[in-house]
C-alpha cells in the first residue's frame, strides 16, 4: 500500500505487516512521552519558584495525556488483549523504545530546560506534520498534542534565552548542559527501519523534512541567547531500538512499582 495525505485510513485498512509496524511505532511515541513526562514530574515540589514548578508539572501532565491516547491506540493495533496499563507499566527496559535524550537525568534547572528545548523543537515540528497523516487516529492525536507542544516550545525557548543571556552562572550552567545533552538530539530525527518503512508508505513524516524548520528555530533562539550552536557531529543513539542508558532502569523501578506491587490497577 502507498497512502496519500488525502486518504483516511484506520485499522481495517492495514495488512498484518503494516499493523505490526504501526504498533511498534505508536509504542515508541508513547514510551517517549511517558518517560519524559515522568522525568518532569520529578520536579513537582522542587521547582526553583512556584510558577515554574507548576509549569513543569503542567507540561508533564500534557505529555502523560498524549501518552494515554497513544498506548490505547497501540493496544488496539496489537490486538493481543493487552491494555494501556500493561504496555505502560509491565514491560522490560529493553522493550521500551524511547530515544536516549528523554531518559537523561534532570540535573539542575538549566539541564532540564536544555533537554526540554531539544525535545520540544522536534516534537512541535513533528506533530505539525503528523496532523496530515492518512492514519485518522495518529492525525487526531497529533492535532490535540500540537497545540500543547506549541506552549512547551515557547516555554523552553524563552528559558534558553533567559539563562544564556542571563548571569555568568546561568550561562555556564546552560553551556554545560548543552555539552552533555546535544549528543542525544540527533536520535530524534534518525529513522529506524520501522520508521523508514512507515515513511515510505506515507503514514508518518519523513524526518528530513523537519530539519530546516528545527535548525532555523535553534539558530534564532541561540542567537537571542548569545549562545553558539554546538558543532558536535557525533550523536548517541540506540534508545529507539531498546538499547538504553542505565538511567532507564531506575526510572522504571519507580514508575512501575505500584502496578507490580498491586497488580490490576487502572490508569
Amino acid at each position: 500500500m502507498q497512502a496519500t495525505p488525502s486518504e483516511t485510513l484506520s485499522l481495517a485498512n492495514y495488512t498484518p505487516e503494516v499493523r505490526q509496524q504501526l504498533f511498534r511505532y505508536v509504542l515508541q511515541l508513547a514510551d517517549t512521552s511517558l518517560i519524559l513526562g515522568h522525568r518532569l514530574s520529578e520536579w513537582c515540589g522542587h521547582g526553583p519558584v512556584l510558577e515554574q514548578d507548576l509549569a513543569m508539572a503542567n507540561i508533564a501532565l500534557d505529555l502523560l495525556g498524549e501518552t494515554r491516547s497513544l498506548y490505547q491506540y497501540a493496544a488496539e493495533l496489537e490486538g493481543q488483549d493487552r491494555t494501556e496499563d500493561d504496555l505502560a507499566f509491565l514491560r522490560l527496559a529493553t522493550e521500551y523504545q524511547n530515544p536516549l535524550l528523554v531518559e537523561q537525568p534532570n540535573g539542575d534547572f538549566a539541564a532540564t530546560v536544555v533537554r526540554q528545548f531539544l525535545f520540544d523543537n522536534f516534537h512541535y515540528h513533528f506533530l505539525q506534520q503528523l496532523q496530515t497523516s492518512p492514519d485518522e487516529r495518529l492525525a487526531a492525536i497529533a492535532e490535540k498534542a500540537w497545540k500543547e507542544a506549541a506552549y512547551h516550545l515557547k516555554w523552553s525557548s524563552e528559558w534558553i534565552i533567559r539563562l544564556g543571556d542571563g548571569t555568568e552562572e546561568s550561562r555556564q550552567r546552560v553551556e554545560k548542559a548543552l555539552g552533555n545533552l546535544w549528543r542525544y538530539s540527533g536520535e530524534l530525527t534518525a529513522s529506524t527501519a520501522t520508521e523508514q518503512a512507515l515513511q515510505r508508505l506515507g503514514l508518518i513524516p519523513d524526518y528530513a523534512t523537519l530539519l530546516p524548520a528545527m535548525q532555523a528555530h535553534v539558530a534564532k533562539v541561540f542567537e537571542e541567547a548569545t549562545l553558539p550552536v554546538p558543532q558536535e557531529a557525533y550523536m548517541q543513539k540506540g534508545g529507539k531500538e531498546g538499547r538504553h542508558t542505565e538511567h532507564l532502569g531506575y526510572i522504571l523501578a519507580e514508575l512501575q512499582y505500584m502496578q507490580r506491587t498491586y497488580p490490576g490497577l487502572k490508569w
Side-chain angles (χ1 to χ4, degrees):
M1 60 172 281
Q2 177 66 49
T4 64
S6 60
E7 290 180 277
T8 299
L9 301 175
S10 61
L11 282 175
N13 300 109
Y14 299 131
T15 64
E17 181 184 6
V18 172
R19 192 165 165 154
Q20 181 62 23
Q21 290 169 333
L22 264 178
F23 165 67
R24 285 183 56 80
Y25 181 67
V26 174
L27 201 58
Q28 174 189 312
L29 297 180
D31 290 344
T32 302
S33 293
L34 175 69
I35 299 303
L36 184 57
H38 184 75
R39 270 294 191 218
L40 280 176
S41 75
E42 294 172 353
W43 271 101
C44 189
H46 302 281
V49 293
L50 179 60
E51 181 184 13
Q52 298 315 316
D53 191 294
L54 293 173
M56 287 186 283
N58 280 325
I59 294 172
L61 286 172
D62 289 342
L63 290 170
L64 294 177
E66 181 185 347
T67 298
R68 286 199 64 187
S69 299
L70 289 166
Y71 277 135
Q72 288 166 1
Y73 187 31
E76 292 177 39
L77 284 163
E78 185 186 36
Q80 298 293 324
D81 295 327
R82 285 202 288 182
T83 67
E84 56 179 305
D85 297 285
D86 297 329
L87 294 174
F89 301 116
L90 296 177
R91 291 156 56 221
L92 302 175
T94 53
E95 296 174 317
Y96 281 74
Q97 302 169 48
N98 56 277
L100 299 175
L101 175 68
V102 301
E103 67 194 46
Q104 297 310 303
N106 286 333
D108 59 19
F109 183 65
T112 293
V113 166
V114 167
R115 186 188 62 203
Q116 195 64 33
F117 173 75
L118 295 174
F119 175 76
D120 290 341
N121 192 31
F122 164 76
H123 198 213
Y124 171 83
H125 292 99
F126 164 69
L127 291 174
Q128 189 174 39
Q129 289 201 22
L130 189 63
Q131 294 176 74
T132 64
S133 170
D135 185 288
E136 59 181 2
R137 291 285 293 278
L138 280 180
I141 293 170
E143 182 180 4
K144 180 179 184 301
W146 180 66
K147 297 170 185 172
E148 298 164 345
Y151 162 73
H152 303 168
L153 182 58
K154 181 176 184 294
W155 180 85
S156 57
S157 297
E158 289 177 349
W159 270 108
I160 289 287
I161 295 168
R162 193 175 301 180
L163 295 174
D165 195 28
T167 66
E168 182 179 345
E169 180 176 356
S170 71
R171 184 183 180 86
Q172 287 176 351
R173 287 183 181 236
V174 80
E175 286 181 331
K176 180 181 178 183
L178 279 168
N180 291 332
L181 295 169
W182 183 263
R183 76 191 68 169
Y184 297 108
S185 62
E187 187 180 14
L188 297 171
T189 53
S191 301
T192 64
T194 297
E195 289 169 315
Q196 290 170 11
L198 294 173
Q199 287 166 349
R200 286 194 294 272
L201 293 174
L203 291 174
I204 66 171
D206 182 340
Y207 297 151
T209 64
L210 308 179
L211 290 175
M214 290 175 59
Q215 291 165 350
H217 188 72
V218 167
K220 175 176 177 292
V221 170
F222 278 40
E223 180 181 9
E224 199 168 343
T226 69
L227 290 167
V229 176
Q231 299 302 311
E232 183 177 355
Y234 175 74
M235 291 291 164
Q236 295 275 3
K237 60 182 181 180
K240 292 200 291 189
E241 297 180 70
R243 301 190 301 277
H244 296 280
T245 64
E246 70 275 17
H247 305 302
L248 185 65
Y250 291 101
I251 295 173
L252 295 182
E254 180 176 309
L255 183 69
Q256 297 183 340
Y257 171 79
M258 289 296 290
Q259 187 62 255
R260 292 187 181 279
T261 305
Y262 304 101
L265 292 177
K266 302 292 184 184
W267 199 331

